[in-house]
Every structure is written in C-alpha cells, then in structure tokens.
C-alpha cells in the first residue's frame, strides 16, 4: 500500500515537473500495486489521474480509454460521487480538446448532475465553468444567442455560490471568462480551465 502511494506521489511530482511520460509510468506502476492489493478505490483514483495525464499529453483516445474502468465500476456498483463527477469532467476536457464538443457537453452535464445530487459544490462549479466556456465558444462561432444565454446561466450559477463553495480564483476566472472567449478581455489561455483533480 505504501509503495502504491509512493508511486502515486512520484507520478504527481513528474507531472508538475513537466515529465508526462515519467508521470504516466509511475501511475501505471501504482495501478499494478493497487490491483494486486485489490484496493478498488485507489485503482479508480489512479484511473482518474491517468485520464488527465493522457489528455495533458494530448493523447485523447488513451484518456478516454482510461475512463472505461471507472465507467464499468459505476455500471456494476456504487462509485464515490466525487470520483464519478471528476471522471465526467476529465472526459469532457478530453472530448473538448479532441474537437467532439457534443460529447464534451454531455460529459460536463453528467458531472454537473452527479455533483449537484451529491452536494459537491467544487465539482459543480468546475462543470459550470467548463460548460460556460464551451457555450461561449459556440456563441462566438455561430452568433446564436441561445448559446450565450446558456453560458451566462452557468456563470451566474457559479457567482451565486456561497463563498465557502467557491474559491476566489474560480470567482475571478468566472468573471473574466466571457471577455476572454469572446475577445473583449485579456486572454489567459487554457490554463484557466477548471479541472477536478
């Protein structure tokens, strides 16, 4: 168990150092250890970590594949809502970067549903933010005011959250998003995308 956690930590270290191949390798070593131990929760968390590592490495198909064990677990029994909501958010990001905005919307909406039902405000706000970003981009491309209205509603939901349910950085990102996406404000790029884990 300790070795598994050490590999998990090493994976995070290498991710932060920008060494994604080493981070992925460490996460896979952790996964093997957790599988041998039969530690279901740690296996699911490791798969969740792998989703974001793969899309960060721009390997979107492998990111999507990394979610399959979590989806299979959810189909056969309960999975912690935080893990499930975060999986949907990470999948949404993978689909977004892959250019499949329909699936991205579906995953973000699933994340929002799970998060709201489980009162996971942090994940709910992240899902709101990512949905707003996507709908602002659709509005910019199509001029359809319905997309702008949907995006505005997601931002309003975030900004109405109690201060205990949203970080100051998230509030700031939400306030700047529309101007950034529509070109009327300072753009800071994709680093503002709100991720679950």
């Amino acid at each position: 168990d300790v070795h598994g956690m050490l590999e998990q930590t090493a994976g995070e270290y290498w991710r932060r150092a920008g060494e994604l191949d080493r981070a992925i390798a460490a996460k896979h070593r952790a996964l093997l250890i957790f599988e041998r131990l039969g530690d279901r929760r740690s296996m699911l968390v490791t798969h969740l970590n792998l989703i974001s590592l793969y899309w960060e490495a721009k390997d979107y198909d492998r990111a999507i594949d990394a979610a399959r064990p979590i989806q299979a677990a959810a189909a056969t029994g309960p999975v912690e809502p935080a893990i499930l909501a975060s999986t949907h958010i990470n999948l949404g990001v993978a689909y977004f970067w892959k250019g499949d905005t329909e699936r991205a919307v579906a995953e973000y909406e699933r994340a929002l549903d799970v998060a709201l039902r489980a009162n996971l405000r942090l994940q709910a706000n992240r899902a709101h933010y990512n949905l707003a970003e996507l709908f602002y981009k659709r509005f910019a491309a199509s001029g359809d005011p319905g997309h702008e209205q949907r995006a505005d509603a997601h931002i309003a939901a975030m900004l109405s959250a109690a201060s205990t349910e949203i970080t100051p950085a998230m509030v700031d990102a939400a306030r700047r998003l529309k101007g950034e996406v529509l070109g009327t404000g300072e753009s800071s790029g994709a680093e503002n995308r709100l991720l679950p884990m």
Side-chain angles (χ1 to χ4, degrees):
D1 209 19
V2 171
H3 286 111
M5 293 309 297
L6 286 172
E7 291 292 355
Q8 280 280 46
T9 303
E12 181 58 16
Y13 170 82
W14 289 119
R15 185 192 71 78
R16 289 176 185 242
E19 299 270 350
L20 296 179
D21 288 340
R22 291 177 89 171
I24 290 167
K27 294 293 183 177
H28 277 286
R29 286 191 300 271
L31 186 58
L32 286 173
I33 292 167
F34 295 137
E35 285 172 350
R36 273 188 259 133
L37 293 171
D39 185 342
R40 182 178 183 266
R41 184 186 187 284
S42 293
M43 289 186 311
L44 295 177
V45 169
T46 305
H47 283 293
L48 176 60
N49 295 156
L50 283 166
I51 301 167
S52 59
L53 280 169
Y54 281 125
W55 65 247
E56 214 173 318
K58 299 181 181 5
D59 192 343
Y60 308 121
D61 290 329
R62 287 188 81 182
I64 293 163
D65 286 343
R68 296 193 199 293
I70 301 170
Q71 294 167 320
T76 60
V79 171
E80 285 179 43
I83 293 172
L84 198 53
S86 296
T87 298
H88 288 303
I89 291 172
N90 278 344
L91 269 173
V93 173
Y95 283 121
F96 177 87
W97 287 117
K98 192 175 177 179
D100 190 342
T101 58
E102 289 303 319
R103 281 186 151 170
V105 167
E107 292 298 336
Y108 292 151
E109 287 177 342
R110 285 184 191 112
L112 183 59
D113 180 58
V114 170
L116 290 176
R117 281 188 287 117
N119 199 29
L120 299 169
R121 297 304 306 171
L122 184 63
Q123 285 90 344
N125 285 324
R126 287 175 172 160
H128 278 305
Y129 181 93
N130 289 350
L131 281 162
E133 178 187 37
L134 203 148
F135 284 117
Y136 282 136
K137 286 182 184 276
R138 283 186 172 179
F139 171 65
S142 70
D144 180 345
H147 293 314
E148 181 182 26
Q149 291 167 353
R150 286 183 76 178
D152 287 345
H154 285 292
I155 293 298
M158 284 182 74
L159 296 177
S160 68
S163 62
T164 56
E165 299 175 342
I166 190 166
T167 67
M170 290 173 76
V171 170
D172 184 52
R175 287 184 176 144
R176 290 184 294 119
L177 180 63
K178 186 173 187 175
E180 290 174 355
V181 173
L182 300 181
T184 59
E186 216 177 276
S187 179
S188 61
E191 66 272 11
N192 280 335
R193 183 175 317 286
L194 297 177
L195 305 172
M197 289 187 169

